[in-house]
Amino acid sequence: MTNQTDLNLREQKLAYVLQSSFDFAFRQMAEGKRLIPFATRVQMSGAVDFQREENESTELPLAEVHDLVRQSMRSQAVAGELQAAALVAPIQSDEKILGEGFYQAIRVQLEMADYCRLFFQPYRIEPGVGGEKGKLVMGKLVTTAAEHVIFGEEPTEGDSGRTIFSLT
């Protein structure tokens, strides 16, 4: 029974990190801020926070910012400072992956030493009518297996896999 309880608690913690990542990303957008790649991290104490390597005014390509965040999280994981981490970035893809009518998503790669999943939360903003604010429409959450980039071995050059999206 303890193993099942531990498993349920672990799933709840991972779900909390995932939801916190999406919430922070969508809050940034709602505040009119440019969404750049960031990390949600769970420190060894259990504290959850957000870390950026650049601010909204950066001129670096978002792929480079994403790599800086990944490298920082990897360094912290290798040093034994993290229980879990999520890499978060805005992406563009096609509706074959994100669902009909969706071309943008928030991408979250959630990792622990023995867990790694990739999540896409598709969204679109429908224009407001008559001066009203636009409406955020969410698509169906897409999830897939992924290879570790934070808690696993350092990937070798050319070992990044197939690209199915581009950072926006």
Side-chain angles (χ1 to χ4, degrees):
M1 200 66 152
T2 302
N3 287 341
Q4 185 61 41
T5 302
D6 290 345
L7 202 57
N8 290 340
L9 183 58
R10 173 187 153 121
E11 288 176 4
Q12 289 174 1
K13 288 179 180 180
L14 288 169
Y16 177 79
V17 173
L18 179 64
Q19 189 61 53
S20 296
S21 299
F22 285 133
D23 289 349
F24 186 78
F26 283 114
R27 188 170 49 250
Q28 296 294 299
M29 291 169 44
E31 293 172 0
K33 295 180 181 174
R34 178 178 175 219
L35 183 59
I36 61 168
F38 67 92
T40 306
R41 59 187 191 156
V42 182
Q43 299 173 38
M44 294 309 288
S45 66
V48 176
D49 65 6
F50 306 101
Q51 181 175 325
R52 292 181 175 179
E53 296 301 316
E54 295 288 328
N55 63 35
E56 292 91 10
S57 63
T58 186
E59 294 184 17
L60 286 175
L62 292 184
E64 287 182 34
V65 175
H66 186 268
D67 199 45
L68 289 172
V69 175
R70 182 196 60 79
Q71 289 172 13
S72 176
M73 290 303 100
R74 178 159 175 70
S75 294
Q76 292 174 53
V78 168
E81 299 170 0
L82 300 177
Q83 291 183 40
L87 297 176
V88 185
I91 61 130
Q92 290 184 353
S93 191
D94 60 45
E95 47 187 3
K96 291 177 193 168
I97 295 166
L98 299 178
E100 188 174 337
F102 292 96
Y103 301 94
Q104 296 178 313
I106 302 299
R107 174 192 186 269
V108 176
Q109 180 154 339
L110 180 57
E111 292 191 29
M112 293 179 73
D114 61 347
Y115 177 91
C116 185
R117 294 293 291 177
L118 192 56
F119 300 87
F120 298 94
Q121 178 57 70
Y123 71 91
R124 68 175 174 257
I125 300 173
E126 293 182 348
V129 183
E132 290 181 6
K133 198 172 186 179
K135 179 183 173 188
L136 178 66
V137 177
M138 307 281 253
K140 183 178 177 184
L141 184 67
V142 178
T143 183
T144 186
E147 292 186 24
H148 284 88
V149 296
I150 299 171
F151 288 90
E153 294 182 25
E154 184 70 27
T156 57
E157 190 171 327
D159 192 27
S160 61
R162 185 172 67 100
T163 300
I164 58 172
F165 60 86
S166 63
L167 295 176
T168 57

